[in-house]
Amino acid sequence: MLIGSLGADSLGINVNIIMSANCEIKFDHNPHGVYLPGQTLSGTVELCLKDTLTMKGVVLQIKGRAKVKWSKTSTIGDSHYVVKYRGRQDYMNSTTYLIGSNDGSNIELPTGLHAYRFSFILPTDLVTSLEADKGHIRYTVKVMLERSWKVDYSYKKAFTVLRHVNLNEENLEVRLPSKVAKQKHFLWGPFKSAPLLMIIETPISGYAPGQTIAVRIEVDNQSNRQMKGIITRLVREVSLISQSPHTKVQPVYTVVSEVQCIGVEKRSKGSTMQYLNIPPLPPTNRTCQVMTVNYFVEVEGNISGPASNPKVQIPITLGTIPLTTNAVPNFDNAASTSTSIVVQPMTVLHENLRPPSYEEAILSCENNVQEKGETNKIGWKEYTPCYTIYHFNEEDKTHPYSNSKKYL
């Protein structure tokens, strides 16, 4: 039987097409393939055969797994060696025969289209899907044509699990302003300069995608170094946690959004407001055993001359249900955040807040869902997870301090 290899088509499907078989998995009333833990994953498997095939049966596998892998080179004396770190957590592994059985005799499927319904209740303890460098939390549906004494034919497709993080149910701290200060001296001993003081503040520390983080920055630069500029960032921190050969935590930092402004001259003071837009991103996740997701706002001052730049950070909790109906929570309205937004099996939002939509993750490209050594000869579909994002009215996005000067 001839096997042809094709690249991605306009639908983003990478396939090794078997000339006599084709397959498609369609989710019911869910074009984005996004599900909450505890929901029912249902749909149809459409198998198109151009020739009659003999097999034991058509098998449906539904899996969920978190997996990390990275390596690090170490040196002892003149010897170099590579340590390979691995971690894994299984969330679900279901196998169902859509037709046929493992113990039964072979069956023949004739030429034509064969459609099979499936339904599966997702476990309630699932965590949000994530595709990151050196690891992933991934949920897949795989169709296999199981054949006796021959290589199985298979097709694979991923779907997104989105675990709600209702900020109204989080700790009180997410509702309160966050303020962090850092003081830095240049040179040491008798040559130590006067201090440079940076203070950053956010009106709240809990946000949802589609909102904007207002960051108030104050600088008292009494040193003899010029602060040439200030960079304000929203950073995602994915921590990879190994189980083998031993426990090790490897953080991976990714800049989500970034803005810059002018700095402060030496022996001068200044203040400004900077704004960071939040794109579609997975919510904060601290429960997975091998991958956690956290966020923080970082403000860095770009200092002239040979000196390390001062950096100040504020932790941010990213949720799926916002605290407030304001697109840009600011210091004037932070105290008047809305009362609890009720979460039913599907989200019920404040009457002034339009329901969110789902968009592809901003930091994730199309991913190959095949595991190492896996060959899905009927095909597989490239995958990008989709996350919640709120679309506010244009007037809601106006920065309350947009007419003020960058620095005084």
Side-chain angles (χ1 to χ4, degrees):
M1 187 173 294
L2 295 177
I3 300 176
S5 178
L6 302 178
D9 63 10
S10 60
L11 296 177
I13 300 176
N14 282 358
V15 291
N16 290 317
I17 293 292
I18 296 176
M19 299 305 292
S20 60
N22 203 345
C23 185
E24 187 173 357
I25 299 171
K26 296 180 178 180
F27 300 125
D28 289 340
H29 314 296
N30 198 330
H32 296 287
V34 180
Y35 294 88
L36 305 180
Q39 280 192 321
T40 298
L41 174 74
S42 64
T44 304
V45 173
E46 294 184 355
L47 180 64
C48 184
L49 301 181
K50 296 181 180 179
D51 296 314
T52 297
L53 287 182
T54 301
M55 66 190 74
K56 295 178 64 176
V58 179
V59 181
L60 185 76
Q61 284 188 343
I62 301 176
K63 292 185 177 183
R65 177 185 301 166
K67 188 176 181 181
V68 299
K69 183 174 69 173
W70 77 96
S71 60
K72 184 176 180 180
T73 302
S74 298
T75 302
I76 299 180
D78 295 331
S79 301
H80 302 274
Y81 64 97
V82 177
V83 180
K84 296 182 178 180
Y85 295 94
R86 293 181 174 86
R88 172 173 164 173
Q89 182 176 3
D90 291 324
Y91 285 102
M92 58 182 179
N93 189 353
S94 169
T95 300
T96 303
Y97 275 83
L98 301 176
I99 185 173
S101 68
N102 183 44
D103 300 326
S105 57
N106 284 341
I107 59 176
E108 285 190 352
L109 282 187
T111 301
L113 178 65
H114 303 267
Y116 304 99
R117 295 285 303 159
F118 66 89
S119 179
F120 177 77
I121 299 176
L122 298 172
T124 58
D125 63 343
L126 302 184
V127 297
T128 297
S129 301
L130 175 66
E131 298 288 333
D133 188 28
K134 312 299 183 185
H136 58 254
I137 301 172
R138 184 181 294 163
Y139 303 92
T140 58
V141 179
K142 184 175 181 178
V143 178
M144 295 189 301
L145 310 186
E146 197 172 75
R147 307 193 303 161
S148 300
W149 309 106
K150 294 182 180 180
V151 177
D152 296 338
Y153 295 156
S154 59
Y155 174 84
K156 192 174 187 181
K157 182 177 181 179
F159 61 95
T160 300
V161 169
L162 180 62
R163 188 174 192 88
H164 270 313
V165 176
N166 185 356
L167 295 173
N168 299 273
E169 299 174 353
E170 293 292 305
N171 294 332
L172 179 63
E173 285 76 10
V174 300
R175 293 173 171 266
L176 302 177
S178 292
K179 190 174 185 178
V180 178
K182 184 171 184 178
Q183 184 172 277
K184 183 178 180 62
H185 294 271
F186 302 99
L187 303 178
W188 295 270
F191 305 104
K192 185 169 67 173
S193 69
L196 183 151
L197 177 65
M198 288 180 62
I199 302 173
I200 68 171
E201 186 176 9
T202 58
I204 56 177
S205 60
Y207 297 85
Q211 289 187 304
T212 298
I213 305 173
V215 186
R216 177 185 287 159
I217 305 170
E218 297 181 5
V219 178
D220 184 359
N221 183 12
Q222 298 305 309
S223 75
N224 57 359
R225 297 292 183 90
Q226 177 190 5
M227 181 181 285
K228 298 185 293 183
I230 295 176
I231 306 172
T232 306
R233 307 181 180 97
L234 175 60
V235 181
R236 185 183 75 179
E237 178 187 2
V238 174
S239 293
L240 312 177
I241 307 169
S242 69
Q243 300 159 337
S244 173
H246 53 79
T247 300
K248 182 178 177 63
V249 179
Q250 178 67 41
V252 179
Y253 301 101
T254 306
V255 176
V256 174
S257 56
E258 179 180 285
V259 293
Q260 300 186 35
C261 66
I262 60 174
V264 178
E265 296 291 334
K266 56 187 176 182
R267 291 180 286 278
S268 300
K269 297 181 180 181
S271 63
T272 187
M273 294 288 297
Q274 296 292 289
Y275 299 92
L276 295 167
N277 296 323
I278 306 176
L281 290 168
T284 298
N285 168 26
R286 304 185 182 101
T287 60
C288 181
Q289 296 177 6
V290 297
M291 290 185 78
T292 61
V293 182
N294 290 284
Y295 297 89
F296 58 86
V297 169
E298 178 180 81
V299 177
E300 178 181 2
N302 185 9
I303 303 300
S304 62
S308 59
N309 291 334
K311 295 180 181 180
V312 189
Q313 297 175 349
I314 287 182
I316 294 294
T317 298
L318 197 62
T320 58
I321 312 295
L323 288 170
T324 170
T325 57
N326 295 303
V328 190
N330 58 67
F331 295 92
D332 297 327
N333 61 37
S336 59
T337 54
S338 63
T339 56
S340 294
I341 299 174
V342 180
V343 180
Q344 301 293 348
M346 292 302 290
T347 308
V348 178
L349 298 170
H350 189 281
E351 61 181 3
N352 294 328
L353 187 63
R354 290 186 294 175
S357 60
Y358 298 114
E359 294 184 11
E360 291 186 347
I362 194 68
L363 296 177
S364 183
C365 58
E366 292 184 335
N367 296 276
N368 184 341
V369 298
Q370 299 185 117
E371 301 292 335
K372 183 178 180 180
E374 181 181 34
T375 302
N376 294 293
K377 292 190 176 181
I378 301 179
W380 56 275
K381 186 170 183 179
E382 290 183 332
Y383 165 71
T384 302
C386 292
Y387 301 120
T388 300
I389 187 166
Y390 293 86
H391 295 283
F392 296 87
N393 296 325
E394 288 303 317
E395 57 268 23
D396 295 335
K397 297 180 181 179
T398 303
H399 297 159
Y401 307 101
S402 59
N403 295 326
S404 64
K405 294 181 180 179
K406 288 292 184 183
Y407 265 101
L408 302 178

